[in-house]
Amino acid sequence: GLGAQLSQILATCYPSSLDHLIKENLRCKYYGRYMDDTYQIYRTKEECELAFENIRYFCKMYLDIDIHKRKTKIFRLSKGITFLKCKYKFIGNSGKILKMGGKESIKRELRKICKFRKLYLSGELRIDKILNDYLSYRGHIKKSFDSRFLLMKLDKTFNKNFIEFTKIPIHKL
């Protein structure tokens, strides 16, 4: 199973030889992997393409793994990197990095707020439970990501659905 401890251990250990190939043979200075999610940063597009072909060959011949060609992308670093469902954007020459939340997670939370309203109106969920859940997610977003706009959007959606029941606009908390 996907969540089993053995699956997690194998997902970490099995591609260890691939890690060595990338770091030692291809000499990739900026490389990260968690389970099946990876990133590599090279100076030129040609270096990227050569590394990709070497990795594809190694995976096929030695690990019996096929790399999904459509899910593997080569692009300029200025477009940002999506790693572990977070978008990292690089700002100009300053070296500043912004960490943005994953779109799917945000959409799911916005849908959940609307669903909570229906459950509250039907009496299946109390307002204190809803508020606790929302403030927990809001705190996670505020601490983990650089997105004031996202917080404003979440607060607007929450207030639209619950201001009449809480009597306090969320941004005032």
Side-chain angles (χ1 to χ4, degrees):
L2 290 174
Q5 184 69 34
L6 183 59
S7 296
Q8 293 177 10
I9 292 168
L10 288 174
T12 303
C13 296
Y14 186 67
S16 176
S17 57
L18 177 62
D19 295 336
H20 287 283
L21 170 81
I22 293 168
K23 291 299 283 179
E24 295 165 8
N25 295 13
L26 299 176
R27 300 196 186 282
C28 181
K29 188 173 180 182
Y30 305 103
Y31 165 69
R33 176 175 68 84
Y34 181 78
M35 301 295 185
D36 66 340
D37 205 357
T38 65
Y39 68 86
Q40 298 170 45
I41 302 173
Y42 294 93
R43 291 193 184 279
T44 66
K45 185 176 181 180
E46 291 75 28
E47 284 182 48
C48 289
E49 290 169 346
L50 180 62
F52 179 61
E53 287 308 314
N54 282 315
I55 292 165
R56 261 186 66 218
Y57 176 79
F58 181 85
C59 286
K60 183 69 177 159
M61 297 304 291
Y62 298 103
L63 299 177
D64 197 30
I65 296 173
D66 287 322
I67 295 178
H68 202 289
K69 220 171 185 179
R70 282 186 289 141
K71 290 184 179 179
T72 305
K73 296 176 178 63
I74 295 174
F75 51 87
R76 298 183 72 76
L77 195 56
S78 60
K79 292 185 184 276
I81 294 174
T82 300
F83 183 66
L84 301 177
K85 297 187 179 179
C86 291
K87 178 86 174 188
Y88 295 88
K89 290 188 175 187
F90 303 89
I91 308 300
N93 295 330
S94 68
K96 183 172 179 161
I97 301 171
L98 296 178
K99 184 178 176 187
M100 313 304 282
K103 288 181 183 177
E104 291 304 314
S105 171
I106 295 157
K107 285 180 189 176
R108 188 172 48 250
E109 186 65 23
L110 291 171
R111 282 192 300 263
K112 194 162 101 175
I113 290 169
C114 296
K115 185 179 176 184
F116 278 174
R117 179 180 172 85
K118 290 177 187 172
L119 291 172
Y120 176 75
L121 292 174
S122 69
E124 295 177 53
L125 204 54
R126 294 188 341 241
I127 194 67
D128 61 321
K129 297 285 185 187
I130 295 168
L131 193 58
N132 189 38
D133 184 272
Y134 178 71
L135 290 176
S136 173
Y137 183 77
R138 189 182 191 284
H140 162 67
I141 293 295
K142 188 174 183 178
K143 183 176 175 149
S144 302
F145 304 112
D146 302 307
S147 188
R148 206 173 64 230
F149 173 74
L150 171 60
L151 284 175
M152 289 175 9
K153 185 175 181 178
L154 285 169
D155 289 346
K156 182 178 176 184
T157 303
F158 187 85
N159 287 334
K160 185 177 97 180
N161 283 283
F162 291 104
I163 190 81
E164 64 214 63
F165 309 117
T166 60
K167 306 289 189 244
I168 306 167
I170 257 327
H171 68 278
K172 301 270 186 196
L173 296 175

